[in-house]
mmCIF file with all atom_site columns, all heavy atoms in Angstrom:
data_model
loop_
_atom_site.group_PDB
_atom_site.id
_atom_site.type_symbol
_atom_site.label_atom_id
_atom_site.label_alt_id
_atom_site.label_comp_id
_atom_site.label_asym_id
_atom_site.label_entity_id
_atom_site.label_seq_id
_atom_site.pdbx_PDB_ins_code
_atom_site.Cartn_x
_atom_site.Cartn_y
_atom_site.Cartn_z
_atom_site.occupancy
_atom_site.B_iso_or_equiv
_atom_site.pdbx_formal_charge
_atom_site.auth_seq_id
_atom_site.auth_comp_id
_atom_site.auth_asym_id
_atom_site.auth_atom_id
_atom_site.pdbx_PDB_model_num
ATOM 1   N N   . GLN A 1 1  ? 0.827  -1.185  -0.003  1.00 0.00 ? 26 GLN A N   1
ATOM 2   C CA  . GLN A 1 1  ? 0.024  -0.026  0.019   1.00 0.00 ? 26 GLN A CA  1
ATOM 3   C C   . GLN A 1 1  ? 0.852  1.287   -0.017  1.00 0.00 ? 26 GLN A C   1
ATOM 4   O O   . GLN A 1 1  ? 0.559  2.229   -0.657  1.00 0.00 ? 26 GLN A O   1
ATOM 5   C CB  . GLN A 1 1  ? -0.874 -0.039  1.242   1.00 0.00 ? 26 GLN A CB  1
ATOM 6   C CG  . GLN A 1 1  ? -2.019 -1.118  1.143   1.00 0.00 ? 26 GLN A CG  1
ATOM 7   C CD  . GLN A 1 1  ? -2.717 -1.160  2.504   1.00 0.00 ? 26 GLN A CD  1
ATOM 8   O OE1 . GLN A 1 1  ? -2.360 -0.632  3.515   1.00 0.00 ? 26 GLN A OE1 1
ATOM 9   N NE2 . GLN A 1 1  ? -3.862 -1.955  2.462   1.00 0.00 ? 26 GLN A NE2 1
ATOM 10  N N   . PHE A 1 2  ? 1.960  1.249   0.761   1.00 0.00 ? 27 PHE A N   1
ATOM 11  C CA  . PHE A 1 2  ? 2.878  2.337   0.785   1.00 0.00 ? 27 PHE A CA  1
ATOM 12  C C   . PHE A 1 2  ? 3.471  2.679   -0.592  1.00 0.00 ? 27 PHE A C   1
ATOM 13  O O   . PHE A 1 2  ? 3.407  3.828   -1.022  1.00 0.00 ? 27 PHE A O   1
ATOM 14  C CB  . PHE A 1 2  ? 3.994  2.090   1.801   1.00 0.00 ? 27 PHE A CB  1
ATOM 15  C CG  . PHE A 1 2  ? 5.087  3.241   1.915   1.00 0.00 ? 27 PHE A CG  1
ATOM 16  C CD1 . PHE A 1 2  ? 4.799  4.200   2.755   1.00 0.00 ? 27 PHE A CD1 1
ATOM 17  C CD2 . PHE A 1 2  ? 6.178  3.239   1.171   1.00 0.00 ? 27 PHE A CD2 1
ATOM 18  C CE1 . PHE A 1 2  ? 5.643  5.323   2.921   1.00 0.00 ? 27 PHE A CE1 1
ATOM 19  C CE2 . PHE A 1 2  ? 7.021  4.212   1.205   1.00 0.00 ? 27 PHE A CE2 1
ATOM 20  C CZ  . PHE A 1 2  ? 6.866  5.274   2.139   1.00 0.00 ? 27 PHE A CZ  1
ATOM 21  N N   . LEU A 1 3  ? 3.990  1.645   -1.254  1.00 0.00 ? 28 LEU A N   1
ATOM 22  C CA  . LEU A 1 3  ? 4.538  1.879   -2.559  1.00 0.00 ? 28 LEU A CA  1
ATOM 23  C C   . LEU A 1 3  ? 3.489  2.129   -3.601  1.00 0.00 ? 28 LEU A C   1
ATOM 24  O O   . LEU A 1 3  ? 3.734  3.022   -4.604  1.00 0.00 ? 28 LEU A O   1
ATOM 25  C CB  . LEU A 1 3  ? 5.323  0.565   -2.991  1.00 0.00 ? 28 LEU A CB  1
ATOM 26  C CG  . LEU A 1 3  ? 6.599  0.337   -2.185  1.00 0.00 ? 28 LEU A CG  1
ATOM 27  C CD1 . LEU A 1 3  ? 7.164  -1.099  -2.552  1.00 0.00 ? 28 LEU A CD1 1
ATOM 28  C CD2 . LEU A 1 3  ? 7.645  1.436   -2.402  1.00 0.00 ? 28 LEU A CD2 1
ATOM 29  N N   . ASP A 1 4  ? 2.350  1.635   -3.501  1.00 0.00 ? 29 ASP A N   1
ATOM 30  C CA  . ASP A 1 4  ? 1.296  1.907   -4.505  1.00 0.00 ? 29 ASP A CA  1
ATOM 31  C C   . ASP A 1 4  ? 0.894  3.333   -4.479  1.00 0.00 ? 29 ASP A C   1
ATOM 32  O O   . ASP A 1 4  ? 0.650  3.972   -5.521  1.00 0.00 ? 29 ASP A O   1
ATOM 33  C CB  . ASP A 1 4  ? 0.044  1.015   -4.273  1.00 0.00 ? 29 ASP A CB  1
ATOM 34  C CG  . ASP A 1 4  ? 0.225  -0.455  -4.784  1.00 0.00 ? 29 ASP A CG  1
ATOM 35  O OD1 . ASP A 1 4  ? 1.127  -0.605  -5.693  1.00 0.00 ? 29 ASP A OD1 1
ATOM 36  O OD2 . ASP A 1 4  ? -0.449 -1.306  -4.293  1.00 0.00 ? 29 ASP A OD2 1
ATOM 37  N N   . HIS A 1 5  ? 0.757  3.944   -3.261  1.00 0.00 ? 30 HIS A N   1
ATOM 38  C CA  . HIS A 1 5  ? 0.401  5.316   -3.155  1.00 0.00 ? 30 HIS A CA  1
ATOM 39  C C   . HIS A 1 5  ? 1.540  6.248   -3.482  1.00 0.00 ? 30 HIS A C   1
ATOM 40  O O   . HIS A 1 5  ? 1.381  7.395   -3.869  1.00 0.00 ? 30 HIS A O   1
ATOM 41  C CB  . HIS A 1 5  ? -0.080 5.570   -1.695  1.00 0.00 ? 30 HIS A CB  1
ATOM 42  C CG  . HIS A 1 5  ? -1.463 5.064   -1.402  1.00 0.00 ? 30 HIS A CG  1
ATOM 43  N ND1 . HIS A 1 5  ? -1.730 3.901   -0.817  1.00 0.00 ? 30 HIS A ND1 1
ATOM 44  C CD2 . HIS A 1 5  ? -2.688 5.654   -1.690  1.00 0.00 ? 30 HIS A CD2 1
ATOM 45  C CE1 . HIS A 1 5  ? -3.072 3.791   -0.724  1.00 0.00 ? 30 HIS A CE1 1
ATOM 46  N NE2 . HIS A 1 5  ? -3.603 4.801   -1.201  1.00 0.00 ? 30 HIS A NE2 1
ATOM 47  N N   . LEU A 1 6  ? 2.707  5.768   -3.267  1.00 0.00 ? 31 LEU A N   1
ATOM 48  C CA  . LEU A 1 6  ? 3.945  6.557   -3.502  1.00 0.00 ? 31 LEU A CA  1
ATOM 49  C C   . LEU A 1 6  ? 4.213  6.675   -5.040  1.00 0.00 ? 31 LEU A C   1
ATOM 50  O O   . LEU A 1 6  ? 4.468  7.751   -5.502  1.00 0.00 ? 31 LEU A O   1
ATOM 51  C CB  . LEU A 1 6  ? 5.166  6.011   -2.790  1.00 0.00 ? 31 LEU A CB  1
ATOM 52  C CG  . LEU A 1 6  ? 6.413  6.926   -2.681  1.00 0.00 ? 31 LEU A CG  1
ATOM 53  C CD1 . LEU A 1 6  ? 6.008  8.169   -1.859  1.00 0.00 ? 31 LEU A CD1 1
ATOM 54  C CD2 . LEU A 1 6  ? 7.549  6.162   -2.036  1.00 0.00 ? 31 LEU A CD2 1
ATOM 55  N N   . TYR A 1 7  ? 4.070  5.572   -5.703  1.00 0.00 ? 32 TYR A N   1
ATOM 56  C CA  . TYR A 1 7  ? 4.313  5.477   -7.184  1.00 0.00 ? 32 TYR A CA  1
ATOM 57  C C   . TYR A 1 7  ? 3.109  4.812   -7.855  1.00 0.00 ? 32 TYR A C   1
ATOM 58  O O   . TYR A 1 7  ? 3.171  3.640   -8.242  1.00 0.00 ? 32 TYR A O   1
ATOM 59  C CB  . TYR A 1 7  ? 5.649  4.840   -7.591  1.00 0.00 ? 32 TYR A CB  1
ATOM 60  C CG  . TYR A 1 7  ? 6.828  5.528   -6.899  1.00 0.00 ? 32 TYR A CG  1
ATOM 61  C CD1 . TYR A 1 7  ? 7.489  4.973   -5.886  1.00 0.00 ? 32 TYR A CD1 1
ATOM 62  C CD2 . TYR A 1 7  ? 7.239  6.698   -7.438  1.00 0.00 ? 32 TYR A CD2 1
ATOM 63  C CE1 . TYR A 1 7  ? 8.598  5.637   -5.376  1.00 0.00 ? 32 TYR A CE1 1
ATOM 64  C CE2 . TYR A 1 7  ? 8.312  7.337   -6.921  1.00 0.00 ? 32 TYR A CE2 1
ATOM 65  C CZ  . TYR A 1 7  ? 9.062  6.764   -5.902  1.00 0.00 ? 32 TYR A CZ  1
ATOM 66  O OH  . TYR A 1 7  ? 10.112 7.519   -5.359  1.00 0.00 ? 32 TYR A OH  1
ATOM 67  N N   . PRO A 1 8  ? 1.904  5.481   -8.008  1.00 0.00 ? 33 PRO A N   1
ATOM 68  C CA  . PRO A 1 8  ? 0.812  4.814   -8.579  1.00 0.00 ? 33 PRO A CA  1
ATOM 69  C C   . PRO A 1 8  ? 1.020  4.388   -10.085 1.00 0.00 ? 33 PRO A C   1
ATOM 70  O O   . PRO A 1 8  ? 0.322  3.514   -10.594 1.00 0.00 ? 33 PRO A O   1
ATOM 71  C CB  . PRO A 1 8  ? -0.296 5.851   -8.501  1.00 0.00 ? 33 PRO A CB  1
ATOM 72  C CG  . PRO A 1 8  ? 0.468  7.153   -8.402  1.00 0.00 ? 33 PRO A CG  1
ATOM 73  C CD  . PRO A 1 8  ? 1.739  6.854   -7.639  1.00 0.00 ? 33 PRO A CD  1
ATOM 74  N N   . GLU A 1 9  ? 2.095  5.031   -10.707 1.00 0.00 ? 34 GLU A N   1
ATOM 75  C CA  . GLU A 1 9  ? 2.323  4.667   -12.144 1.00 0.00 ? 34 GLU A CA  1
ATOM 76  C C   . GLU A 1 9  ? 3.132  3.283   -12.176 1.00 0.00 ? 34 GLU A C   1
ATOM 77  O O   . GLU A 1 9  ? 3.370  2.907   -13.334 1.00 0.00 ? 34 GLU A O   1
ATOM 78  C CB  . GLU A 1 9  ? 3.062  5.840   -12.824 1.00 0.00 ? 34 GLU A CB  1
ATOM 79  C CG  . GLU A 1 9  ? 4.489  5.979   -12.424 1.00 0.00 ? 34 GLU A CG  1
ATOM 80  C CD  . GLU A 1 9  ? 4.675  6.769   -11.124 1.00 0.00 ? 34 GLU A CD  1
ATOM 81  O OE1 . GLU A 1 9  ? 3.657  7.060   -10.438 1.00 0.00 ? 34 GLU A OE1 1
ATOM 82  O OE2 . GLU A 1 9  ? 5.825  7.066   -10.721 1.00 0.00 ? 34 GLU A OE2 1
ATOM 83  N N   . ARG A 1 10 ? 3.580  2.767   -11.137 1.00 0.00 ? 35 ARG A N   1
ATOM 84  C CA  . ARG A 1 10 ? 4.284  1.594   -11.021 1.00 0.00 ? 35 ARG A CA  1
ATOM 85  C C   . ARG A 1 10 ? 3.529  0.449   -10.353 1.00 0.00 ? 35 ARG A C   1
ATOM 86  O O   . ARG A 1 10 ? 3.834  0.231   -9.146  1.00 0.00 ? 35 ARG A O   1
ATOM 87  C CB  . ARG A 1 10 ? 5.636  1.702   -10.489 1.00 0.00 ? 35 ARG A CB  1
ATOM 88  C CG  . ARG A 1 10 ? 6.549  2.756   -11.136 1.00 0.00 ? 35 ARG A CG  1
ATOM 89  C CD  . ARG A 1 10 ? 7.811  2.907   -10.282 1.00 0.00 ? 35 ARG A CD  1
ATOM 90  N NE  . ARG A 1 10 ? 8.651  3.947   -10.809 1.00 0.00 ? 35 ARG A NE  1
ATOM 91  C CZ  . ARG A 1 10 ? 9.788  4.341   -10.246 1.00 0.00 ? 35 ARG A CZ  1
ATOM 92  N NH1 . ARG A 1 10 ? 10.187 3.776   -9.122  1.00 0.00 ? 35 ARG A NH1 1
ATOM 93  N NH2 . ARG A 1 10 ? 10.543 5.317   -10.751 1.00 0.00 ? 35 ARG A NH2 1
ATOM 94  N N   . PRO A 1 11 ? 2.514  -0.074  -10.933 1.00 0.00 ? 36 PRO A N   1
ATOM 95  C CA  . PRO A 1 11 ? 1.759  -1.132  -10.244 1.00 0.00 ? 36 PRO A CA  1
ATOM 96  C C   . PRO A 1 11 ? 2.627  -2.398  -9.857  1.00 0.00 ? 36 PRO A C   1
ATOM 97  O O   . PRO A 1 11 ? 3.375  -2.849  -10.647 1.00 0.00 ? 36 PRO A O   1
ATOM 98  C CB  . PRO A 1 11 ? 0.659  -1.489  -11.287 1.00 0.00 ? 36 PRO A CB  1
ATOM 99  C CG  . PRO A 1 11 ? 1.276  -1.176  -12.547 1.00 0.00 ? 36 PRO A CG  1
ATOM 100 C CD  . PRO A 1 11 ? 2.096  0.045   -12.329 1.00 0.00 ? 36 PRO A CD  1
ATOM 101 N N   . LEU A 1 12 ? 2.475  -2.848  -8.616  1.00 0.00 ? 37 LEU A N   1
ATOM 102 C CA  . LEU A 1 12 ? 3.287  -3.900  -8.116  1.00 0.00 ? 37 LEU A CA  1
ATOM 103 C C   . LEU A 1 12 ? 2.576  -5.247  -8.551  1.00 0.00 ? 37 LEU A C   1
ATOM 104 O O   . LEU A 1 12 ? 1.399  -5.346  -8.460  1.00 0.00 ? 37 LEU A O   1
ATOM 105 C CB  . LEU A 1 12 ? 3.383  -3.882  -6.553  1.00 0.00 ? 37 LEU A CB  1
ATOM 106 C CG  . LEU A 1 12 ? 4.236  -2.761  -5.978  1.00 0.00 ? 37 LEU A CG  1
ATOM 107 C CD1 . LEU A 1 12 ? 4.036  -2.627  -4.455  1.00 0.00 ? 37 LEU A CD1 1
ATOM 108 C CD2 . LEU A 1 12 ? 5.696  -2.854  -6.321  1.00 0.00 ? 37 LEU A CD2 1
ATOM 109 N N   . SER A 1 13 ? 3.452  -6.181  -8.867  1.00 0.00 ? 38 SER A N   1
ATOM 110 C CA  . SER A 1 13 ? 3.068  -7.550  -9.022  1.00 0.00 ? 38 SER A CA  1
ATOM 111 C C   . SER A 1 13 ? 2.679  -8.172  -7.664  1.00 0.00 ? 38 SER A C   1
ATOM 112 O O   . SER A 1 13 ? 3.180  -7.664  -6.652  1.00 0.00 ? 38 SER A O   1
ATOM 113 C CB  . SER A 1 13 ? 4.077  -8.351  -9.764  1.00 0.00 ? 38 SER A CB  1
ATOM 114 O OG  . SER A 1 13 ? 4.409  -7.790  -11.072 1.00 0.00 ? 38 SER A OG  1
ATOM 115 N N   . PRO A 1 14 ? 1.854  -9.259  -7.595  1.00 0.00 ? 39 PRO A N   1
ATOM 116 C CA  . PRO A 1 14 ? 1.624  -9.866  -6.369  1.00 0.00 ? 39 PRO A CA  1
ATOM 117 C C   . PRO A 1 14 ? 2.848  -10.229 -5.583  1.00 0.00 ? 39 PRO A C   1
ATOM 118 O O   . PRO A 1 14 ? 3.818  -10.693 -6.180  1.00 0.00 ? 39 PRO A O   1
ATOM 119 C CB  . PRO A 1 14 ? 0.827  -11.113 -6.723  1.00 0.00 ? 39 PRO A CB  1
ATOM 120 C CG  . PRO A 1 14 ? 0.206  -10.793 -8.009  1.00 0.00 ? 39 PRO A CG  1
ATOM 121 C CD  . PRO A 1 14 ? 1.143  -9.940  -8.708  1.00 0.00 ? 39 PRO A CD  1
ATOM 122 N N   . ALA A 1 15 ? 2.957  -9.926  -4.337  1.00 0.00 ? 40 ALA A N   1
ATOM 123 C CA  . ALA A 1 15 ? 4.068  -10.191 -3.520  1.00 0.00 ? 40 ALA A CA  1
ATOM 124 C C   . ALA A 1 15 ? 4.295  -11.714 -3.288  1.00 0.00 ? 40 ALA A C   1
ATOM 125 O O   . ALA A 1 15 ? 3.292  -12.401 -3.104  1.00 0.00 ? 40 ALA A O   1
ATOM 126 C CB  . ALA A 1 15 ? 4.025  -9.475  -2.156  1.00 0.00 ? 40 ALA A CB  1
ATOM 127 N N   . ILE A 1 16 ? 5.582  -12.173 -3.253  1.00 0.00 ? 41 ILE A N   1
ATOM 128 C CA  . ILE A 1 16 ? 5.847  -13.488 -3.028  1.00 0.00 ? 41 ILE A CA  1
ATOM 129 C C   . ILE A 1 16 ? 6.303  -13.700 -1.556  1.00 0.00 ? 41 ILE A C   1
ATOM 130 O O   . ILE A 1 16 ? 7.213  -12.994 -1.143  1.00 0.00 ? 41 ILE A O   1
ATOM 131 C CB  . ILE A 1 16 ? 6.914  -14.134 -3.996  1.00 0.00 ? 41 ILE A CB  1
ATOM 132 C CG1 . ILE A 1 16 ? 6.483  -13.966 -5.488  1.00 0.00 ? 41 ILE A CG1 1
ATOM 133 C CG2 . ILE A 1 16 ? 7.253  -15.491 -3.649  1.00 0.00 ? 41 ILE A CG2 1
ATOM 134 C CD1 . ILE A 1 16 ? 7.548  -14.434 -6.417  1.00 0.00 ? 41 ILE A CD1 1
ATOM 135 N N   . VAL A 1 17 ? 5.615  -14.501 -0.822  1.00 0.00 ? 42 VAL A N   1
ATOM 136 C CA  . VAL A 1 17 ? 5.960  -14.811 0.551   1.00 0.00 ? 42 VAL A CA  1
ATOM 137 C C   . VAL A 1 17 ? 6.520  -16.243 0.595   1.00 0.00 ? 42 VAL A C   1
ATOM 138 O O   . VAL A 1 17 ? 5.752  -17.235 0.311   1.00 0.00 ? 42 VAL A O   1
ATOM 139 C CB  . VAL A 1 17 ? 4.814  -14.627 1.525   1.00 0.00 ? 42 VAL A CB  1
ATOM 140 C CG1 . VAL A 1 17 ? 5.176  -14.896 3.006   1.00 0.00 ? 42 VAL A CG1 1
ATOM 141 C CG2 . VAL A 1 17 ? 4.172  -13.173 1.387   1.00 0.00 ? 42 VAL A CG2 1
ATOM 142 N N   . TYR A 1 18 ? 7.775  -16.421 1.038   1.00 0.00 ? 43 TYR A N   1
ATOM 143 C CA  . TYR A 1 18 ? 8.409  -17.674 1.175   1.00 0.00 ? 43 TYR A CA  1
ATOM 144 C C   . TYR A 1 18 ? 8.272  -18.239 2.580   1.00 0.00 ? 43 TYR A C   1
ATOM 145 O O   . TYR A 1 18 ? 8.473  -17.514 3.504   1.00 0.00 ? 43 TYR A O   1
ATOM 146 C CB  . TYR A 1 18 ? 9.883  -17.612 0.854   1.00 0.00 ? 43 TYR A CB  1
ATOM 147 C CG  . TYR A 1 18 ? 10.112 -17.303 -0.701  1.00 0.00 ? 43 TYR A CG  1
ATOM 148 C CD1 . TYR A 1 18 ? 10.572 -16.009 -0.990  1.00 0.00 ? 43 TYR A CD1 1
ATOM 149 C CD2 . TYR A 1 18 ? 9.833  -18.174 -1.660  1.00 0.00 ? 43 TYR A CD2 1
ATOM 150 C CE1 . TYR A 1 18 ? 10.865 -15.773 -2.384  1.00 0.00 ? 43 TYR A CE1 1
ATOM 151 C CE2 . TYR A 1 18 ? 10.121 -17.891 -2.992  1.00 0.00 ? 43 TYR A CE2 1
ATOM 152 C CZ  . TYR A 1 18 ? 10.561 -16.677 -3.312  1.00 0.00 ? 43 TYR A CZ  1
ATOM 153 O OH  . TYR A 1 18 ? 10.820 -16.322 -4.638  1.00 0.00 ? 43 TYR A OH  1
ATOM 154 N N   . GLU A 1 19 ? 7.912  -19.520 2.712   1.00 0.00 ? 44 GLU A N   1
ATOM 155 C CA  . GLU A 1 19 ? 7.731  -20.207 3.959   1.00 0.00 ? 44 GLU A CA  1
ATOM 156 C C   . GLU A 1 19 ? 8.273  -21.609 3.778   1.00 0.00 ? 44 GLU A C   1
ATOM 157 O O   . GLU A 1 19 ? 8.169  -22.265 2.723   1.00 0.00 ? 44 GLU A O   1
ATOM 158 C CB  . GLU A 1 19 ? 6.262  -20.204 4.278   1.00 0.00 ? 44 GLU A CB  1
ATOM 159 C CG  . GLU A 1 19 ? 5.821  -21.191 5.384   1.00 0.00 ? 44 GLU A CG  1
ATOM 160 C CD  . GLU A 1 19 ? 6.518  -20.736 6.691   1.00 0.00 ? 44 GLU A CD  1
ATOM 161 O OE1 . GLU A 1 19 ? 6.372  -19.571 7.110   1.00 0.00 ? 44 GLU A OE1 1
ATOM 162 O OE2 . GLU A 1 19 ? 7.109  -21.619 7.385   1.00 0.00 ? 44 GLU A OE2 1
ATOM 163 N N   . ASP A 1 20 ? 8.958  -22.088 4.849   1.00 0.00 ? 45 ASP A N   1
ATOM 164 C CA  . ASP A 1 20 ? 9.635  -23.385 4.729   1.00 0.00 ? 45 ASP A CA  1
ATOM 165 C C   . ASP A 1 20 ? 8.854  -24.541 5.494   1.00 0.00 ? 45 ASP A C   1
ATOM 166 O O   . ASP A 1 20 ? 9.383  -25.640 5.477   1.00 0.00 ? 45 ASP A O   1
ATOM 167 C CB  . ASP A 1 20 ? 11.058 -23.354 5.296   1.00 0.00 ? 45 ASP A CB  1
ATOM 168 C CG  . ASP A 1 20 ? 11.174 -22.983 6.754   1.00 0.00 ? 45 ASP A CG  1
ATOM 169 O OD1 . ASP A 1 20 ? 10.158 -22.729 7.344   1.00 0.00 ? 45 ASP A OD1 1
ATOM 170 O OD2 . ASP A 1 20 ? 12.358 -22.898 7.234   1.00 0.00 ? 45 ASP A OD2 1
ATOM 171 N N   . ASN A 1 21 ? 7.714  -24.129 6.085   1.00 0.00 ? 46 ASN A N   1
ATOM 172 C CA  . ASN A 1 21 ? 6.941  -25.123 6.799   1.00 0.00 ? 46 ASN A CA  1
ATOM 173 C C   . ASN A 1 21 ? 5.709  -25.491 5.949   1.00 0.00 ? 46 ASN A C   1
ATOM 174 O O   . ASN A 1 21 ? 4.771  -24.660 5.809   1.00 0.00 ? 46 ASN A O   1
ATOM 175 C CB  . ASN A 1 21 ? 6.503  -24.582 8.157   1.00 0.00 ? 46 ASN A CB  1
ATOM 176 C CG  . ASN A 1 21 ? 5.737  -25.611 9.022   1.00 0.00 ? 46 ASN A CG  1
ATOM 177 O OD1 . ASN A 1 21 ? 4.739  -26.041 8.720   1.00 0.00 ? 46 ASN A OD1 1
ATOM 178 N ND2 . ASN A 1 21 ? 6.499  -26.063 10.081  1.00 0.00 ? 46 ASN A ND2 1
ATOM 179 N N   . THR A 1 22 ? 5.650  -26.688 5.378   1.00 0.00 ? 47 THR A N   1
ATOM 180 C CA  . THR A 1 22 ? 4.500  -27.135 4.534   1.00 0.00 ? 47 THR A CA  1
ATOM 181 C C   . THR A 1 22 ? 3.186  -27.134 5.243   1.00 0.00 ? 47 THR A C   1
ATOM 182 O O   . THR A 1 22 ? 2.144  -26.836 4.691   1.00 0.00 ? 47 THR A O   1
ATOM 183 C CB  . THR A 1 22 ? 4.808  -28.458 3.886   1.00 0.00 ? 47 THR A CB  1
ATOM 184 O OG1 . THR A 1 22 ? 5.120  -29.406 4.941   1.00 0.00 ? 47 THR A OG1 1
ATOM 185 C CG2 . THR A 1 22 ? 6.125  -28.409 2.996   1.00 0.00 ? 47 THR A CG2 1
ATOM 186 N N   . SER A 1 23 ? 3.218  -27.454 6.594   1.00 0.00 ? 48 SER A N   1
ATOM 187 C CA  . SER A 1 23 ? 1.987  -27.528 7.351   1.00 0.00 ? 48 SER A CA  1
ATOM 188 C C   . SER A 1 23 ? 1.412  -26.106 7.392   1.00 0.00 ? 48 SER A C   1
ATOM 189 O O   . SER A 1 23 ? 0.123  -25.939 7.347   1.00 0.00 ? 48 SER A O   1
ATOM 190 C CB  . SER A 1 23 ? 2.247  -28.225 8.735   1.00 0.00 ? 48 SER A CB  1
ATOM 191 O OG  . SER A 1 23 ? 2.612  -29.558 8.579   1.00 0.00 ? 48 SER A OG  1
ATOM 192 N N   . ALA A 1 24 ? 2.254  -25.168 7.698   1.00 0.00 ? 49 ALA A N   1
ATOM 193 C CA  . ALA A 1 24 ? 1.752  -23.795 7.906   1.00 0.00 ? 49 ALA A CA  1
ATOM 194 C C   . ALA A 1 24 ? 1.193  -23.242 6.499   1.00 0.00 ? 49 ALA A C   1
ATOM 195 O O   . ALA A 1 24 ? 0.197  -22.532 6.488   1.00 0.00 ? 49 ALA A O   1
ATOM 196 C CB  . ALA A 1 24 ? 2.935  -22.850 8.261   1.00 0.00 ? 49 ALA A CB  1
ATOM 197 N N   . ILE A 1 25 ? 1.864  -23.732 5.374   1.00 0.00 ? 50 ILE A N   1
ATOM 198 C CA  . ILE A 1 25 ? 1.345  -23.377 4.072   1.00 0.00 ? 50 ILE A CA  1
ATOM 199 C C   . ILE A 1 25 ? -0.129 -23.870 3.872   1.00 0.00 ? 50 ILE A C   1
ATOM 200 O O   . ILE A 1 25 ? -0.928 -23.197 3.386   1.00 0.00 ? 50 ILE A O   1
ATOM 201 C CB  . ILE A 1 25 ? 2.324  -23.807 3.008   1.00 0.00 ? 50 ILE A CB  1
ATOM 202 C CG1 . ILE A 1 25 ? 3.681  -23.009 3.109   1.00 0.00 ? 50 ILE A CG1 1
ATOM 203 C CG2 . ILE A 1 25 ? 1.705  -23.621 1.617   1.00 0.00 ? 50 ILE A CG2 1
ATOM 204 C CD1 . ILE A 1 25 ? 4.632  -23.412 2.062   1.00 0.00 ? 50 ILE A CD1 1
ATOM 205 N N   . ARG A 1 26 ? -0.209 -25.204 4.215   1.00 0.00 ? 51 ARG A N   1
ATOM 206 C CA  . ARG A 1 26 ? -1.524 -25.826 4.082   1.00 0.00 ? 51 ARG A CA  1
ATOM 207 C C   . ARG A 1 26 ? -2.618 -25.069 4.945   1.00 0.00 ? 51 ARG A C   1
ATOM 208 O O   . ARG A 1 26 ? -3.769 -24.943 4.470   1.00 0.00 ? 51 ARG A O   1
ATOM 209 C CB  . ARG A 1 26 ? -1.531 -27.307 4.489   1.00 0.00 ? 51 ARG A CB  1
ATOM 210 C CG  . ARG A 1 26 ? -0.852 -28.169 3.425   1.00 0.00 ? 51 ARG A CG  1
ATOM 211 C CD  . ARG A 1 26 ? -1.188 -29.616 3.722   1.00 0.00 ? 51 ARG A CD  1
ATOM 212 N NE  . ARG A 1 26 ? -0.625 -30.121 4.979   1.00 0.00 ? 51 ARG A NE  1
ATOM 213 C CZ  . ARG A 1 26 ? 0.623  -30.634 5.130   1.00 0.00 ? 51 ARG A CZ  1
ATOM 214 N NH1 . ARG A 1 26 ? 1.419  -30.710 4.082   1.00 0.00 ? 51 ARG A NH1 1
ATOM 215 N NH2 . ARG A 1 26 ? 0.984  -31.049 6.259   1.00 0.00 ? 51 ARG A NH2 1
ATOM 216 N N   . MET A 1 27 ? -2.257 -24.680 6.164   1.00 0.00 ? 52 MET A N   1
ATOM 217 C CA  . MET A 1 27 ? -3.165 -23.928 7.015   1.00 0.00 ? 52 MET A CA  1
ATOM 218 C C   . MET A 1 27 ? -3.555 -22.645 6.332   1.00 0.00 ? 52 MET A C   1
ATOM 219 O O   . MET A 1 27 ? -4.758 -22.283 6.295   1.00 0.00 ? 52 MET A O   1
ATOM 220 C CB  . MET A 1 27 ? -2.552 -23.654 8.311   1.00 0.00 ? 52 MET A CB  1
ATOM 221 C CG  . MET A 1 27 ? -2.456 -24.819 9.263   1.00 0.00 ? 52 MET A CG  1
ATOM 222 S SD  . MET A 1 27 ? -1.640 -24.374 10.830  1.00 0.00 ? 52 MET A SD  1
ATOM 223 C CE  . MET A 1 27 ? -2.749 -23.226 11.462  1.00 0.00 ? 52 MET A CE  1
#
């Protein structure tokens, strides 16, 4: 939200969140 409002002409792609616990990912 901060970057979108700061530079509206540069739309962000969906953020990638990395997680190493497969059970947490399933949850």
Side-chain angles (χ1 to χ4, degrees):
Q26 293 174 346
F27 180 85
L28 292 170
D29 281 339
H30 284 95
L31 197 62
Y32 298 108
E34 72 279 6
R35 299 178 186 173
L37 291 170
S38 301
I41 298 176
V42 179
Y43 292 110
E44 169 62 52
D45 63 0
N46 187 292
T47 55
S48 296
I50 292 176
R51 284 197 296 270
M52 287 177 62

